[in-house]
Amino acid sequence: MTKAIRFHQTGGPEVLRLENVEVGEPGPGQVRVRHTGIAVNFIDIYFRIGRYPTPSLPSGLGSDAVGVVEAVGEGVAYLAPGDRVGYMLGPLGAYSEARVMPAEVLIKLPDGISDRTAATIIMKGLTAQYLFRQVFPLKAGDTILYHAAAGGVGLIACQWAKALGVTMIGTVGSDEKAAVAKAHGCTHVINYNRENFVERVKEITDGKGVPVVFDSVGKDTFMGSLDCLQKKGTLVSNGTTSGPVVMDVTLLAMKGSLWVTRPAMVDYALPRPNLLKMADELFDLVLQGHIRSEPQQVLPLAEAAEAHRLLESRQTIGATILVP
């Protein structure tokens, strides 16, 4: 038996329960992993509240963790007991002490990257990779707008943009978060509670706007994001923390023949060779010192509900992890 967070109905953080569960031995193509760090992501909240459906209830939660391989099933030749691994795809259930996982989604961790660092960069760092290197490939000299620049993905995005030679305009909700984003390489930081971000973007870009906006906030920022774009610009809607977006597509023509995309990680990370290529690029930047990441909030697994409360209240800066 092992401990895991499960929920029997959708709802607020209070539906999360710490329960005993059976783990068992890995079957063909599977690996049993004992977790050392579990990332808390906003997508976990979407599953908890029912915005994204789970296959069934009761359900585990979380899809982003790091740990050590305990046992390997038949047919898995590229992993062995004792290997340090991370993952951000596969079935829900990362909020647990240990679990059995499909081996194809596991990424072997380099020796120079600690478990705590890895727990903050697997999902978040690979999100920055596919946004900046695949969805809208950035190049030196580009200027971008990035919402939630002091969040878990945002702080990695600040550093990645700087490494690429990209001018990043980031939005945040407080002066404290502005200072953190700036310290991580964000070129211009806008506190949207004190400034109109559309006006500031136009001011920073001499009225031209930006070719791309990365918007993980959704409903509250979507229309303003469109107004920040140049003609034929692209809005990458990579999250909806403030609520889902409803749009009349004729606005895209009226505002300058704009493009909008709602990408999903799985479509960019699979098949496995692409996942490993993405991870190699991320790990190289970490090992070279271009990206530094440590958890800013660390809570015991049993306090998963509190971690969700903090994340939903936007009180967190950077990454939050659970420790079994």
Side-chain angles (χ1 to χ4, degrees):
M1 300 291 283
T2 191
K3 298 287 187 183
I5 295 291
R6 289 164 59 80
F7 61 108
H8 294 248
Q9 62 186 52
T10 58
E14 69 279 357
V15 303
L16 301 180
R17 305 181 188 176
L18 186 66
E19 299 180 345
N20 292 316
V21 297
E22 292 282 354
V23 178
E25 296 299 317
Q30 294 182 326
V31 169
R32 189 174 73 235
V33 178
R34 179 155 297 277
H35 293 142
T36 56
I38 303 153
V40 178
N41 298 300
F42 221 94
I43 193 172
D44 304 339
I45 293 171
Y46 296 162
F47 282 109
R48 191 204 75 218
I49 66 176
R51 182 178 298 176
Y52 290 173
T54 60
S56 62
L57 289 174
S59 173
L61 191 61
S63 56
D64 180 11
V66 300
V68 179
V69 173
E70 287 191 321
V72 174
E74 181 184 350
V76 180
Y78 46 88
L79 292 171
D83 285 345
R84 298 167 57 244
V85 295
Y87 64 86
M88 51 90 195
L89 296 172
L92 296 176
Y95 287 23
S96 59
E97 293 176 334
R99 69 184 302 205
V100 170
M101 286 289 293
E104 65 177 357
V105 301
L106 298 180
I107 303 165
K108 196 170 179 179
L109 302 178
D111 290 340
I113 297 178
S114 72
D115 286 14
R116 286 207 168 189
T117 291
T120 70
I121 64 170
I122 298 297
M123 173 76 81
K124 297 172 179 66
L126 293 179
T127 296
Q129 196 283 341
Y130 93 92
L131 292 178
F132 284 6
R133 308 294 285 156
Q134 299 186 71
V135 176
F136 193 99
L138 298 177
K139 61 186 184 301
D142 285 343
T143 299
I144 67 173
L145 174 62
Y146 191 100
H147 290 297
V153 179
L155 293 184
I156 295 174
C158 290
Q159 298 173 80
W160 206 312
K162 183 177 180 180
L164 290 171
V166 168
T167 297
M168 178 168 160
I169 305 170
T171 68
V172 297
S174 70
D175 290 342
E176 179 189 8
K177 291 184 176 183
V180 173
K182 191 81 171 176
H184 281 74
C186 192
T187 316
H188 305 277
V189 187
I190 302 168
N191 181 345
Y192 57 75
N193 284 318
R194 292 197 296 101
E195 302 175 282
N196 182 303
F197 75 82
V198 177
E199 292 176 0
R200 284 288 289 125
V201 168
K202 293 296 179 66
E203 180 183 332
I204 292 166
T205 61
D206 295 323
K208 293 183 293 186
V210 294
V212 60
V213 176
F214 297 93
D215 189 340
S216 62
V217 178
K219 180 172 64 70
D220 290 351
T221 53
F222 189 81
M223 294 305 295
S225 293
L226 293 178
D227 290 336
C228 290
L229 287 168
Q230 300 171 358
K231 286 187 177 180
K232 295 184 284 186
T234 299
L235 193 156
V236 180
S237 176
N238 58 296
T240 53
T241 59
S242 68
V245 172
V246 178
M247 180 189 64
D248 179 352
V249 294
T250 58
L251 283 173
L252 301 180
M254 294 169 59
K255 290 181 178 291
S257 298
L258 305 178
W259 297 82
V260 175
T261 181
R262 182 64 167 94
M265 169 75 82
V266 66
D267 295 322
Y268 289 85
L270 295 179
R272 180 174 172 79
N274 199 45
L275 174 65
L276 298 181
K277 182 179 177 182
M278 292 167 63
D280 284 345
E281 184 175 11
L282 171 63
F283 293 156
D284 283 347
L285 287 172
V286 175
L287 293 171
Q288 292 168 23
H290 293 300
I291 291 177
R292 294 181 173 86
S293 184
E294 291 293 328
Q296 300 301 305
Q297 295 82 213
V298 180
L299 292 87
L301 175 63
E303 296 181 19
E306 179 61 17
H308 277 219
R309 291 186 187 98
L310 291 171
L311 192 60
E312 285 181 293
S313 67
R314 302 190 182 183
Q315 295 180 39
T316 59
I317 294 176
T320 300
I321 70 167
L322 303 172
V323 177

